[in-house]
Coordinates of all heavy atoms in Angstrom, one line a residue:
M6 N 123.7 105.9 117.2 CA 124.7 106.3 116.2 C 124.2 107.6 115.7 O 123.1 107.8 115.4 CB 124.7 105.2 115.1 CG 125.6 105.6 113.9 SD 125.7 104.3 112.7 CE 126.9 103.2 113.5
T7 N 125.2 108.5 115.5 CA 124.9 109.8 115.0 C 124.7 109.7 113.5 O 125.1 108.8 112.8 CB 126.0 110.9 115.3 OG1 127.1 110.5 114.5 CG2 126.3 110.9 116.8
Q8 N 124.0 110.7 112.9 CA 123.8 110.8 111.5 C 125.1 110.8 110.7 O 125.3 110.2 109.7 CB 122.9 112.0 111.2 CG 122.4 112.1 109.7 CD 121.6 113.3 109.5 OE1 122.0 114.4 109.7 NE2 120.4 113.0 109.0
R9 N 126.0 111.6 111.2 CA 127.4 111.7 110.6 C 128.1 110.4 110.6 O 128.7 110.0 109.6 CB 128.2 112.8 111.3 CG 129.5 113.1 110.6 CD 130.2 114.2 111.3 NE 129.6 115.5 111.1 CZ 129.6 116.3 110.0 NH1 130.3 115.9 109.0 NH2 128.9 117.4 110.0
A10 N 128.0 109.7 111.8 CA 128.7 108.4 111.8 C 128.1 107.4 110.9 O 128.8 106.6 110.2 CB 128.7 107.9 113.3
L11 N 126.7 107.4 110.8 CA 126.0 106.4 109.9 C 126.4 106.8 108.5 O 126.7 105.8 107.7 CB 124.5 106.5 110.1 CG 123.7 105.6 109.2 CD1 124.1 104.1 109.4 CD2 122.2 105.8 109.4
A12 N 126.4 108.0 108.1 CA 126.7 108.5 106.8 C 128.1 108.0 106.4 O 128.4 107.4 105.3 CB 126.7 110.0 106.6
K13 N 129.1 108.1 107.3 CA 130.5 107.6 107.0 C 130.5 106.1 106.9 O 131.2 105.6 106.0 CB 131.4 108.1 108.2 CG 132.8 107.8 108.0 CD 133.7 108.4 109.1 CE 135.1 108.1 108.8 NZ 136.0 108.6 109.8
S14 N 129.7 105.4 107.7 CA 129.7 103.9 107.7 C 129.1 103.4 106.4 O 129.5 102.3 106.0 CB 128.9 103.4 108.9 OG 129.5 103.8 110.1
V15 N 128.1 104.1 105.8 CA 127.5 103.6 104.6 C 128.0 104.3 103.3 O 127.4 104.1 102.3 CB 125.9 103.6 104.7 CG1 125.5 102.7 105.8 CG2 125.4 105.0 104.9
F16 N 129.0 105.1 103.5 CA 129.8 105.7 102.4 C 128.9 106.8 101.6 O 128.9 106.8 100.4 CB 130.3 104.7 101.4 CG 131.1 103.6 102.0 CD1 130.6 102.3 102.1 CD2 132.3 103.9 102.7 CE1 131.3 101.3 102.7 CE2 133.0 102.9 103.3 CZ 132.5 101.6 103.3
V17 N 128.1 107.6 102.3 CA 127.4 108.7 101.7 C 127.7 109.9 102.5 O 128.2 109.9 103.6 CB 125.9 108.5 101.7 CG1 125.5 107.2 100.9 CG2 125.3 108.3 103.1
T18 N 127.3 111.1 102.0 CA 127.6 112.3 102.7 C 126.5 112.5 103.7 O 125.3 112.0 103.5 CB 127.6 113.5 101.7 OG1 126.3 113.6 101.1 CG2 128.7 113.4 100.7
P19 N 126.7 113.3 104.8 CA 125.7 113.5 105.7 C 124.5 114.3 105.1 O 123.3 114.0 105.5 CB 126.4 114.4 106.8 CG 127.8 114.0 106.7 CD 128.0 113.7 105.3
S20 N 124.7 115.1 104.2 CA 123.6 115.8 103.5 C 122.7 114.9 102.7 O 121.5 115.0 102.7 CB 124.1 117.0 102.6 OG 124.9 116.5 101.6
L21 N 123.3 113.9 102.0 CA 122.5 112.9 101.3 C 121.7 112.1 102.3 O 120.5 111.8 102.1 CB 123.4 112.0 100.4 CG 122.7 110.9 99.7 CD1 121.6 111.4 98.8 CD2 123.6 110.1 98.9
L22 N 122.3 111.7 103.4 CA 121.6 110.9 104.4 C 120.5 111.7 104.9 O 119.4 111.1 105.1 CB 122.6 110.4 105.5 CG 122.0 109.5 106.6 CD1 121.5 108.2 106.0 CD2 123.0 109.3 107.6
A23 N 120.6 112.9 105.2 CA 119.5 113.8 105.7 C 118.4 113.8 104.7 O 117.2 113.8 105.0 CB 120.0 115.2 106.0
K24 N 118.7 113.9 103.4 CA 117.7 113.9 102.3 C 116.9 112.6 102.2 O 115.8 112.6 102.0 CB 118.3 114.3 101.0 CG 118.7 115.8 100.9 CD 119.4 116.1 99.6 CE 119.8 117.6 99.6 NZ 120.5 117.9 98.4
L25 N 117.7 111.5 102.4 CA 117.1 110.2 102.4 C 116.1 110.1 103.6 O 115.0 109.5 103.4 CB 118.1 109.1 102.4 CG 119.0 109.0 101.1 CD1 120.2 108.1 101.4 CD2 118.1 108.4 100.0
E26 N 116.6 110.5 104.7 CA 115.7 110.4 105.9 C 114.4 111.2 105.8 O 113.4 110.9 106.3 CB 116.5 110.8 107.1 CG 117.5 109.8 107.6 CD 118.2 110.3 108.9 OE1 118.2 111.4 109.2 OE2 118.9 109.4 109.5
A27 N 114.6 112.4 105.1 CA 113.4 113.3 104.9 C 112.5 112.9 103.7 O 111.6 113.6 103.4 CB 113.9 114.7 104.8
A28 N 112.9 111.8 103.0 CA 112.2 111.3 101.8 C 112.2 112.3 100.7 O 111.3 112.4 99.9 CB 110.7 110.9 102.2
Q29 N 113.3 113.1 100.6 CA 113.5 114.0 99.5 C 114.3 113.3 98.4 O 114.4 113.9 97.3 CB 114.2 115.2 100.0 CG 113.5 116.0 101.0 CD 114.3 117.2 101.6 OE1 115.5 117.2 101.5 NE2 113.6 118.1 102.1
R30 N 115.0 112.2 98.7 CA 115.7 111.5 97.7 C 115.3 110.0 97.8 O 114.9 109.5 98.9 CB 117.2 111.6 97.9 CG 117.9 113.0 97.7 CD 118.0 113.3 96.2 NE 118.8 112.3 95.5 CZ 120.1 112.4 95.3 NH1 120.8 113.4 95.7 NH2 120.7 111.5 94.5
V31 N 115.5 109.2 96.8 CA 115.1 107.8 96.8 C 116.4 107.0 97.0 O 117.4 107.2 96.3 CB 114.5 107.4 95.5 CG1 114.2 105.9 95.5 CG2 113.2 108.2 95.2
P32 N 116.5 106.1 98.0 CA 117.7 105.3 98.3 C 117.9 104.3 97.2 O 117.0 103.8 96.6 CB 117.4 104.7 99.6 CG 115.9 104.6 99.7 CD 115.4 105.8 98.9
S33 N 119.2 103.9 97.0 CA 119.5 102.8 96.1 C 119.4 101.5 96.9 O 119.4 101.5 98.1 CB 120.9 103.0 95.6 OG 121.8 102.9 96.6
E34 N 119.3 100.5 96.1 CA 119.3 99.2 96.8 C 120.5 98.9 97.5 O 120.6 98.2 98.6 CB 119.0 98.1 95.7 CG 118.7 96.7 96.3 CD 118.2 95.7 95.2 OE1 118.4 96.0 94.0 OE2 117.7 94.7 95.6
E35 N 121.6 99.3 97.0 CA 122.9 99.2 97.6 C 123.0 99.9 98.9 O 123.5 99.4 100.0 CB 124.1 99.7 96.7 CG 125.4 99.6 97.2 CD 126.5 100.2 96.3 OE1 126.2 100.4 95.1 OE2 127.7 100.3 96.7
F36 N 122.4 101.1 99.0 CA 122.4 101.9 100.2 C 121.6 101.1 101.3 O 122.0 101.0 102.4 CB 121.7 103.3 100.0 CG 121.5 104.0 101.2 CD1 122.5 104.8 101.8 CD2 120.2 104.0 101.8 CE1 122.3 105.5 103.0 CE2 120.0 104.7 103.0 CZ 121.0 105.5 103.6
A37 N 120.4 100.5 100.9 CA 119.6 99.8 101.8 C 120.4 98.6 102.4 O 120.3 98.3 103.6 CB 118.3 99.3 101.1
A38 N 121.1 97.9 101.5 CA 121.9 96.8 102.0 C 123.0 97.2 103.0 O 123.3 96.6 104.0 CB 122.5 96.1 100.8
R39 N 123.7 98.3 102.7 CA 124.7 98.8 103.6 C 124.1 99.2 105.0 O 124.7 98.9 106.0 CB 125.4 100.1 103.0 CG 126.3 99.7 101.9 CD 127.1 101.0 101.5 NE 127.7 100.8 100.2 CZ 127.9 101.8 99.3 NH1 127.4 103.0 99.6 NH2 128.4 101.5 98.1
V40 N 123.0 99.9 105.0 CA 122.4 100.3 106.2 C 122.0 99.0 107.0 O 122.2 99.0 108.2 CB 121.1 101.2 106.0 CG1 120.4 101.4 107.3 CG2 121.6 102.5 105.4
D41 N 121.4 98.0 106.3 CA 121.1 96.8 107.1 C 122.4 96.2 107.7 O 122.3 95.7 108.8 CB 120.5 95.8 106.0 CG 119.1 96.0 105.7 OD1 118.4 96.6 106.6 OD2 118.6 95.7 104.6
E42 N 123.5 96.2 107.0 CA 124.7 95.6 107.5 C 125.2 96.4 108.7 O 125.6 95.9 109.7 CB 125.8 95.6 106.4 CG 127.0 94.9 106.8 CD 128.0 94.9 105.6 OE1 127.6 94.5 104.5 OE2 129.2 95.2 105.9
V43 N 125.2 97.7 108.6 CA 125.8 98.6 109.6 C 124.9 98.6 110.8 O 125.4 98.5 112.0 CB 126.0 100.1 109.1 CG1 126.3 101.0 110.2 CG2 127.1 100.1 108.0
L44 N 123.6 98.6 110.6 CA 122.7 98.7 111.8 C 122.2 97.3 112.3 O 121.5 97.2 113.3 CB 121.5 99.6 111.5 CG 121.8 101.0 111.2 CD1 120.5 101.8 110.8 CD2 122.5 101.7 112.3
N45 N 122.7 96.3 111.6 CA 122.3 94.9 111.9 C 120.8 94.7 112.1 O 120.3 94.3 113.1 CB 123.1 94.5 113.2 CG 123.0 93.0 113.4 OD1 122.9 92.2 112.5 ND2 123.2 92.6 114.7
T46 N 120.1 95.1 111.0 CA 118.6 95.0 111.1 C 118.0 93.7 110.6 O 116.8 93.6 110.5 CB 118.0 96.2 110.2 OG1 118.4 96.0 108.9 CG2 118.5 97.5 110.7
G47 N 118.9 92.8 110.1 CA 118.4 91.6 109.6 C 117.7 91.7 108.3 O 116.9 90.9 107.9
G48 N 118.1 92.7 107.5 CA 117.6 92.9 106.1 C 116.3 93.6 106.0 O 115.7 93.6 105.0
L49 N 116.0 94.3 107.0 CA 114.7 95.1 107.0 C 114.6 96.1 105.9 O 113.7 96.2 105.1 CB 114.5 95.9 108.4 CG 113.3 96.8 108.4 CD1 112.1 96.0 108.4 CD2 113.4 97.6 109.7
F50 N 115.7 96.9 105.8 CA 115.7 98.0 104.7 C 115.8 97.3 103.3 O 115.2 97.8 102.4 CB 116.9 98.9 104.9 CG 116.7 99.8 106.1 CD1 117.4 99.6 107.3 CD2 115.8 100.9 106.0 CE1 117.2 100.4 108.4 CE2 115.7 101.7 107.1 CZ 116.3 101.5 108.3
G51 N 116.5 96.2 103.2 CA 116.5 95.5 101.9 C 115.1 95.0 101.5 O 114.7 95.0 100.4
R52 N 114.3 94.6 102.5 CA 113.0 94.1 102.2 C 112.0 95.2 102.0 O 111.1 95.1 101.2 CB 112.5 93.3 103.4 CG 113.2 91.9 103.5 CD 112.5 91.0 104.5 NE 112.3 91.6 105.9 CZ 113.2 91.5 106.8 NH1 114.4 90.9 106.6 NH2 112.9 92.1 108.0
L53 N 112.3 96.4 102.5 CA 111.4 97.6 102.3 C 111.7 98.3 101.0 O 110.9 99.0 100.4 CB 111.5 98.5 103.4 CG 110.9 98.1 104.7 CD1 111.3 99.1 105.8 CD2 109.4 98.0 104.6
W54 N 112.9 98.1 100.4 CA 113.3 98.8 99.3 C 112.4 98.7 98.1 O 112.0 99.7 97.4 CB 114.8 98.4 98.9 CG 115.3 99.3 97.7 CD1 115.8 100.5 97.9 CD2 115.3 98.9 96.4 NE1 116.2 101.0 96.6 CE2 115.9 100.0 95.7 CE3 115.0 97.8 95.7 CZ2 116.0 100.0 94.3 CZ3 115.1 97.8 94.3 CH2 115.7 98.9 93.6
P55 N 111.9 97.4 97.7 CA 110.9 97.3 96.6 C 109.7 98.2 96.8 O 109.1 98.8 95.9 CB 110.6 95.9 96.5 CG 111.8 95.2 97.1 CD 112.2 96.1 98.2
L56 N 109.2 98.2 98.0 CA 108.0 99.0 98.3 C 108.3 100.5 98.2 O 107.5 101.3 97.6 CB 107.6 98.7 99.8 CG 106.3 99.4 100.2 CD1 105.1 99.0 99.4 CD2 106.0 99.1 101.7
I57 N 109.5 100.9 98.6 CA 109.9 102.4 98.4 C 109.9 102.7 96.9 O 109.4 103.7 96.5 CB 111.2 102.6 99.1 CG1 111.1 102.5 100.6 CG2 111.8 104.0 98.7 CD1 112.4 102.5 101.3
M58 N 110.5 101.8 96.1 CA 110.6 102.1 94.7 C 109.2 102.1 94.0 O 109.0 102.8 93.1 CB 111.5 101.0 94.0 CG 112.9 101.1 94.4 SD 113.6 102.8 94.3 CE 113.5 103.0 92.6
K59 N 108.3 101.3 94.5 CA 106.9 101.3 94.0 C 106.3 102.6 94.1 O 105.5 103.1 93.2 CB 106.1 100.2 94.6 CG 104.7 100.1 94.0 CD 104.0 98.9 94.7 CE 102.6 98.8 94.1 NZ 101.8 97.8 94.7
Y60 N 106.5 103.4 95.2 CA 105.9 104.6 95.4 C 106.8 105.8 95.2 O 106.5 106.9 95.7 CB 105.3 104.6 96.8 CG 104.1 103.6 96.9 CD1 104.3 102.4 97.5 CD2 102.9 103.9 96.3 CE1 103.3 101.5 97.6 CE2 101.9 103.0 96.4 CZ 102.1 101.8 97.0 OH 101.0 100.9 97.0
A61 N 108.0 105.6 94.6 CA 109.0 106.7 94.4 C 108.6 107.6 93.3 O 109.2 108.7 93.2 CB 110.3 106.1 94.2
Y62 N 107.6 107.2 92.5 CA 107.2 108.0 91.3 C 105.8 108.6 91.6 O 105.0 108.1 92.3 CB 107.2 107.1 90.1 CG 108.5 106.5 89.8 CD1 108.8 105.2 90.2 CD2 109.5 107.2 89.2 CE1 110.0 104.5 89.9 CE2 110.7 106.6 88.9 CZ 111.0 105.3 89.3 OH 112.2 104.7 89.1
P63 N 105.5 109.7 90.9 CA 104.2 110.3 91.0 C 103.1 109.3 90.6 O 103.3 108.4 89.8 CB 104.2 111.5 90.0 CG 105.6 111.7 89.7 CD 106.3 110.5 89.9
S64 N 101.9 109.4 91.2 CA 100.8 108.4 90.9 C 100.5 108.3 89.4 O 100.2 107.2 89.0 CB 99.6 108.8 91.7 OG 99.1 110.0 91.4
W65 N 100.5 109.3 88.7 CA 100.2 109.3 87.3 C 101.2 108.5 86.5 O 100.9 108.0 85.4 CB 100.0 110.7 86.7 CG 101.2 111.5 86.7 CD1 101.6 112.4 87.7 CD2 102.3 111.5 85.7 NE1 102.8 112.9 87.4 CE2 103.2 112.5 86.2 CE3 102.5 110.9 84.5 CZ2 104.4 112.7 85.4 CZ3 103.6 111.2 83.8 CH2 104.6 112.1 84.2
F66 N 102.5 108.4 87.0 CA 103.5 107.7 86.3 C 103.7 106.2 86.6 O 104.3 105.5 85.9 CB 104.9 108.4 86.5 CG 106.0 108.0 85.6 CD1 105.9 108.3 84.2 CD2 107.0 107.3 86.1 CE1 106.9 107.9 83.4 CE2 108.1 106.9 85.3 CZ 108.0 107.2 83.9
R67 N 103.1 105.8 87.7 CA 103.3 104.4 88.3 C 102.9 103.4 87.2 O 103.6 102.3 87.1 CB 102.6 104.3 89.6 CG 103.3 105.0 90.7 CD 102.7 104.7 92.1 NE 103.1 105.8 92.9 CZ 102.3 106.4 93.8 NH1 101.0 106.0 93.9 NH2 102.7 107.3 94.6
P68 N 101.8 103.5 86.5 CA 101.4 102.4 85.6 C 102.5 102.2 84.5 O 102.8 101.1 84.1 CB 100.2 103.0 84.9 CG 99.6 103.9 85.9 CD 100.7 104.5 86.6
Y69 N 103.2 103.3 84.1 CA 104.3 103.2 83.2 C 105.5 102.4 83.7 O 106.2 101.7 83.0 CB 104.7 104.5 82.6 CG 103.6 105.2 81.9 CD1 102.9 106.3 82.5 CD2 103.2 104.8 80.7 CE1 101.9 106.9 81.9 CE2 102.1 105.5 80.0 CZ 101.5 106.5 80.6 OH 100.4 107.1 80.0
V70 N 105.8 102.6 85.0 CA 106.9 101.9 85.7 C 106.6 100.4 85.7 O 107.5 99.6 85.4 CB 107.1 102.5 87.1 CG1 108.1 101.7 87.8 CG2 107.5 103.9 87.0
E71 N 105.3 100.1 86.0 CA 105.0 98.7 86.0 C 105.0 98.0 84.7 O 105.4 96.9 84.5 CB 103.5 98.6 86.7 CG 103.5 98.9 88.1 CD 102.1 98.9 88.7 OE1 101.2 98.4 88.1 OE2 101.9 99.5 89.8
L72 N 104.6 98.8 83.6 CA 104.6 98.3 82.3 C 106.1 98.1 81.8 O 106.4 97.1 81.2 CB 104.0 99.2 81.3 CG 102.4 99.3 81.4 CD1 101.9 100.4 80.5 CD2 101.9 98.0 80.9
E73 N 106.9 99.0 82.2 CA 108.4 98.9 81.8 C 109.0 97.7 82.5 O 109.8 97.0 81.9 CB 109.1 100.2 82.3 CG 110.6 100.1 81.8 CD 111.3 101.3 82.3 OE1 111.0 101.9 83.3 OE2 112.3 101.7 81.5
A74 N 108.6 97.4 83.8 CA 109.2 96.2 84.5 C 108.7 94.9 83.8 O 109.5 94.0 83.8 CB 108.7 96.2 85.9
Q75 N 107.6 94.9 83.1 CA 107.1 93.7 82.5 C 107.5 93.6 81.0 O 107.4 92.5 80.4 CB 105.5 93.7 82.5 CG 105.0 93.6 83.9 CD 103.5 93.8 83.9 OE1 102.8 93.9 82.9 NE2 102.9 93.9 85.1
A76 N 108.0 94.7 80.5 CA 108.4 94.8 79.0 C 109.6 93.8 78.8 O 110.5 93.7 79.6 CB 108.8 96.2 78.6
Q77 N 109.5 93.2 77.6 CA 110.7 92.4 77.1 C 111.6 93.2 76.2 O 112.8 92.9 76.1 CB 110.1 91.2 76.4 CG 109.3 90.2 77.2 CD 108.8 89.0 76.5 OE1 109.0 88.9 75.3 NE2 108.1 88.2 77.2
I78 N 111.1 94.2 75.6 CA 111.9 95.1 74.8 C 111.3 96.5 74.8 O 110.1 96.7 74.9 CB 112.0 94.6 73.3 CG1 113.0 95.4 72.5 CG2 110.6 94.6 72.7 CD1 113.3 94.8 71.2
I79 N 112.1 97.5 74.8 CA 111.7 98.9 74.8 C 112.4 99.6 73.7 O 113.6 99.5 73.5 CB 112.1 99.6 76.1 CG1 111.4 98.9 77.3 CG2 111.7 101.1 76.0 CD1 111.7 99.5 78.7
R80 N 111.5 100.1 72.8 CA 112.1 100.9 71.6 C 111.8 102.3 71.8 O 110.7 102.7 72.2 CB 111.5 100.3 70.4 CG 111.9 98.9 70.1 CD 111.3 98.4 68.9 NE 111.7 96.9 68.8 CZ 111.3 96.2 67.8 NH1 110.6 96.6 66.8 NH2 111.7 94.9 67.8
S81 N 112.7 103.2 71.3 CA 112.5 104.6 71.4 C 112.9 105.2 70.1 O 113.8 104.8 69.4 CB 113.4 105.2 72.5 OG 113.3 106.6 72.6
F82 N 112.1 106.2 69.6 CA 112.3 106.9 68.4 C 112.5 108.4 68.7 O 111.7 109.0 69.4 CB 111.2 106.7 67.4 CG 111.3 107.5 66.2 CD1 112.2 107.0 65.1 CD2 110.7 108.7 65.9 CE1 112.4 107.7 64.0 CE2 110.8 109.4 64.8 CZ 111.7 108.9 63.8
E83 N 113.5 109.0 68.2 CA 113.8 110.4 68.4 C 114.1 111.1 67.1 O 114.7 110.4 66.2 CB 115.0 110.5 69.4 CG 114.8 110.0 70.7 CD 113.8 110.7 71.6 OE1 113.6 111.9 71.3 OE2 113.2 110.1 72.5
L84 N 113.7 112.3 67.0 CA 113.9 113.0 65.8 C 115.3 113.6 65.7 O 115.7 114.1 64.7 CB 112.9 114.1 65.6 CG 111.4 113.6 65.4 CD1 110.5 114.8 65.4 CD2 111.3 112.8 64.2
R85 N 116.0 113.6 66.8 CA 117.3 114.2 67.0 C 118.3 113.0 67.1 O 118.0 111.9 67.4 CB 117.4 115.1 68.1 CG 116.5 116.2 68.0 CD 116.6 117.1 69.3 NE 115.6 118.1 69.2 CZ 114.7 118.3 70.1 NH1 114.6 117.5 71.1 NH2 113.8 119.2 70.0
V86 N 119.6 113.4 66.9 CA 120.6 112.3 67.1 C 120.7 111.9 68.5 O 120.8 110.8 68.9 CB 121.9 112.8 66.5 CG1 123.0 111.8 66.8 CG2 121.8 113.1 65.0
I87 N 120.7 112.9 69.4 CA 120.8 112.6 70.9 C 119.5 112.9 71.5 O 119.0 114.0 71.5 CB 121.9 113.6 71.5 CG1 123.2 113.3 70.8 CG2 122.0 113.3 73.0 CD1 124.3 114.3 71.3
P88 N 118.8 111.9 72.1 CA 117.5 112.0 72.7 C 117.6 112.9 73.9 O 118.6 112.9 74.6 CB 117.0 110.6 73.0 CG 118.2 109.8 73.0 CD 119.3 110.5 72.1

């Protein structure tokens, strides 16, 4: 399947698909599910998506992502009306 045909099948632009393949953009969970369906991979991309998300952020920021996932409430205080 060509890149253009896959992009059309999963409802993204060819340029976005190229960026996803080059790891310049992070795929959505919905994108992973569509690729699994179109390529008949048995859910491979869906199973890999949590791992991709774990390493999608810089190493210094990853502990905060894990803390946010465990948080029951997140409060934010801003000095301006629009943060």
Side-chain angles (χ1 to χ4, degrees):
M6 177 176 280
T7 66
Q8 190 179 54
R9 185 174 296 280
L11 178 60
K13 186 176 182 179
S14 297
V15 296
F16 311 112
V17 298
T18 62
S20 63
L21 176 58
L22 183 59
K24 289 178 183 178
L25 290 166
E26 287 181 342
Q29 295 173 343
R30 294 282 306 265
V31 178
S33 67
E34 190 172 14
E35 182 181 348
F36 173 81
R39 284 188 198 146
V40 171
D41 281 332
E42 186 178 314
V43 169
L44 297 180
N45 196 23
T46 62
L49 175 67
F50 290 103
R52 290 190 305 272
L53 287 174
W54 186 80
L56 182 63
I57 292 168
M58 291 310 296
K59 183 176 180 181
Y60 295 101
Y62 301 99
S64 59
W65 63 268
F66 191 70
R67 286 185 201 137
Y69 299 105
V70 174
E71 292 174 16
L72 287 172
E73 184 181 32
Q75 297 170 7
Q77 293 179 1
I78 188 170
I79 298 175
R80 296 182 184 178
S81 177
F82 176 78
E83 298 291 335
L84 296 175
R85 299 179 187 117
V86 176
I87 301 173

